[in-house]
Amino acid sequence: MSLRDKHIVIGISGSIAAYKIATLVRLLRKAEASVQVIMTQEATQFITPLTLSTLSNNPVYVDYYDQKSGEWNNHVHIAESADLILIAPATANTLAKCAQGICDNLLQAVYLSAKSDVCIAPAMDLDMWIHPSVKNNIQLLKSYGDLIIPPGKGELASGLVGEGRLAEPEEIFQFIEDHLQANQPLKGKKALVSAGPTYEAIDPVRFIGNHSSGKMGYAIANQLRKLGAEVTLVSGPTALESPEGVQRVNVQSAAEMYAACSNSFQEADITVMSAAVADYTPIEVADQKIKKKAEDFSISLKKTTDILASLGAIKKSGQILVGFALETNNELENAKDKLKRKNLDFIVLNSMQDKGAGFAHDTNKITVINRQEEILSFDLKSKEEVAKDICDLIIAQLSK
Ligand code: CTP
């Protein structure tokens, strides 16, 4: 299996087995994965960052702050970008820190910020491996959902023979490949996501826009891609970076967004319209910058095409169409009405009455209503977590 578009973050802690990671990085790169290595200070005693940056074709991060480039190594971004985080070799010390939530180096901060699955490959001497405190920590890590790649038996660096050797690079590679493959329920599916605001030009320098950041749509596109879908992201103007492996189509206006979405919709198995599309656009766009003259000034607007409703009107059976509703009042009734009017499979409701929900926040609180008018309420979560919930509902809908 090719691991193209998969981004693996590897955290190396201070064990003699660190040298094996050079081979693992080569195997991952050969399978076309992108690899980001993070090391603890201790790990750099066992294998040089230069070896790993050369093999991974990426800078290796050790500290929060890179003295040379003056750059801040953002642990949240590193964690967010990962399709999988692997900690290998994980020493008894690193295991304990992960189990207890201790955050005294970049690797630990990335572990605590993980959004993806985390695999941990321990390596230590046999007596350490069977110590009850280590066993307890392993149980704790499993209870958090981390996956343990068990150590092998054999000769240890201490000269003792027993269990504790880091799994071989080929075994770790196989584990990663199997895990990523098993987590691809949307493999072979095409998805279309709209995100961000639209800008409706008034003249060459002014526009009518809105405060949508695009974060929710980008998180959904990223999650759909992680689950194996081939994703087209039609994006209004945002400051966000494209999620890796997603095909992004940049648009400005509602009309451009309509054209781009119509282009991809026929092929799409899953469509999620999370963009905040302008409902009205100026009837005329001035060729030159409008000068201020009169005391009062008004712009005549005309309705834009409702993209979601137009797609709903031509939706074929088997296609899944999801819309959003941002409401300030009469939320449930308005959302139910949109669900029916636009022929959706389900609608994701954001209420402006919920704190931390809606535009610009990193969090969101959603209520989902389906065609049977069942209402599912979710807690306030990060937009990545919300994206996972929405994708779970899509997967459930596909298997109906
Ligand atoms: N939408 C769209 N095209 C438009 C307007 C909205 O595709 N021209 C989509 C949005 O992407 C969202 C859903 O319709 O998924 C609901 O958008 P919203 O603005 O809440 O609803 P409207 O239908 O515009 O209704 P109203 O403004 O009256 O609340």
Side-chain angles (χ1 to χ4, degrees), residues 157-171:
S158 61
L160 297 171
V161 177
E163 208 174 348
R165 274 169 71 99
L166 178 69
E168 293 307 316
E170 292 75 13
E171 289 167 345

Side-chain angles (χ1 to χ4, degrees), residues 258-293:
Y258 175 53
C261 289
S262 305
N263 247 343
S264 299
F265 179 69
Q266 302 283 1
E267 296 267 285
D269 302 287
I270 302 157
T271 300
V272 183
M273 290 284 118
S274 64
V277 189
D279 289 331
Y280 291 91
T281 192
I283 292 177
E284 278 175 37
V285 182
D287 292 341
Q288 307 295 332
K289 186 182 166 208
I290 300 169
K291 304 299 281 179
K292 65 172 175 294
K293 282 185 199 131

